[in-house]
Amino acid sequence: MTSGMIRIGPSILAADFRRLGEQIAEAEAAGADYLHVDVMDGRFVPNISIGLPVLEAVRAATTLPIDVHLMIVEPDRWVERFVRAGADVLTVHVEACDHLDRTLHAIAEAGAEPGVTLNPATPLVSLEEVLPIVRQVLVMSVNPGYGGQALIPSSLRKIQRLRTMLHDQNPSCRIQIDGGVNASNIAAVVAAGADTIVAGTAVYSAGRSVAESMALLRGAIAGTTPG
Ligand code: DX5
Ligand code: ZN
């Protein structure tokens, strides 16, 4: 795999919501591979972000794939509605699901790609049994709830171990990383084995255009060989 196959998805959490449509168009023009949409409920995480109406608006504003990260309790109750509102990939937290296998099958039946994720303190073994039925595993590299946090370094070793586990069980499954990725650490993240990157602050930061920020990220991984 070459760095050309690395997918970068801006997280709209860091966008200027007063002009969300323009910020999405800027990401699209800058070559974003998908958009990452963070849904927080104030219970699973100590913050509330956005929900179904905003997702519908994002869906109407872009043809890019939309990757929805549900940071909510009881996500199984919401699967159909988030898929109907525009999620192409729907990712749930292992910590939030009583019947993870059932929820992941429900996502596929609703017509989206099932994704699973885990908090930094949750061991990989907690999702080992569902690896064969997901299209994407998201390794959280910050404690979820806020953009703009620093990447937790042990996430890289977790990605390496996950890459080994997937090699046997589901080699085409994507490994995504979310939280604190920037132009200084993206090469290490890719070298560890992540192929699908979320970047919020690093894309929508003050003082630099979205195009410049995306080019910086791409430049930082040019020539990097994924692990
Ligand atoms: C954090 C969210 C992230 C966030 C990433 O709970 O899941 O998607 O938007 O933002 P940055 O890239 O700024 O860490
Ligand atoms: Zn996220």
Side-chain angles (χ1 to χ4, degrees):
M1 193 168 10
T2 69
S3 58
M5 293 166 76
I6 304 301
R7 302 163 82 246
I8 301 180
S11 170
I12 64 160
L13 188 65
D16 180 352
F17 285 170
R18 288 172 301 179
R19 47 187 201 90
L20 183 55
E22 283 167 48
Q23 295 256 276
I24 289 170
E26 285 164 27
E28 201 162 344
D33 297 292
Y34 68 96
L35 293 177
H36 182 79
V37 176
D38 288 308
V39 177
M40 305 178 184
D41 66 354
R43 290 189 62 206
F44 183 71
V45 289
N47 196 9
I48 295 178
S49 57
I50 59 181
L52 290 163
V54 174
L55 175 58
E56 283 168 8
V58 173
R59 177 72 289 164
T62 185
T63 55
L64 288 176
I66 300 179
D67 169 66
V68 176
H69 176 192
L70 290 184
M71 286 162 275
I72 64 176
V73 298
E74 299 179 13
D76 42 296
R77 293 175 50 207
W78 296 92
V79 164
E80 276 192 47
R81 278 171 282 186
F82 276 96
V83 174
R84 228 182 294 136
D88 296 295
V89 183
L90 192 59
T91 295
V92 294
H93 271 264
V94 58
E95 303 89 352
C97 294
D98 287 332
H99 303 285
L100 182 59
D101 178 87
R102 178 182 288 152
T103 304
L104 293 169
H105 280 292
I107 293 170
E109 274 158 32
E113 292 188 358
V116 67
T117 184
L118 71 187
N119 289 330
T122 304
L124 282 173
V125 67
S126 63
L127 48 75
E128 190 172 4
E129 305 305 325
V130 300
L131 288 181
I133 61 165
V134 294
R135 297 289 303 126
Q136 175 171 294
V137 178
L138 165 57
V139 173
M140 284 308 300
S141 42
V142 297
N143 290 296
Y146 304 94
Q149 304 181 76
L151 180 144
I152 297 172
S154 61
S155 320
L156 272 63
R157 286 193 299 281
K158 207 174 193 180
I159 289 171
Q160 287 168 347
R161 282 184 281 127
L162 174 62
R163 184 51 81 195
T164 305
M165 288 164 79
L166 284 171
H167 182 76
D168 298 330
Q169 299 206 48
N170 186 353
S172 66
C173 180
R174 299 186 297 271
I175 298 183
Q176 186 179 47
I177 181 167
D178 183 12
V181 178
N182 56 40
S184 313
N185 58 27
I186 190 170
V189 156
V190 168
D195 51 50
T196 303
I197 314 294
V198 177
T201 315
V203 168
Y204 292 114
S205 61
R208 205 179 281 127
S209 73
V210 171
E212 287 167 339
S213 300
M214 286 292 290
L216 259 183
L217 291 171
R218 293 260 186 234
I221 50 172
T224 305
T225 309

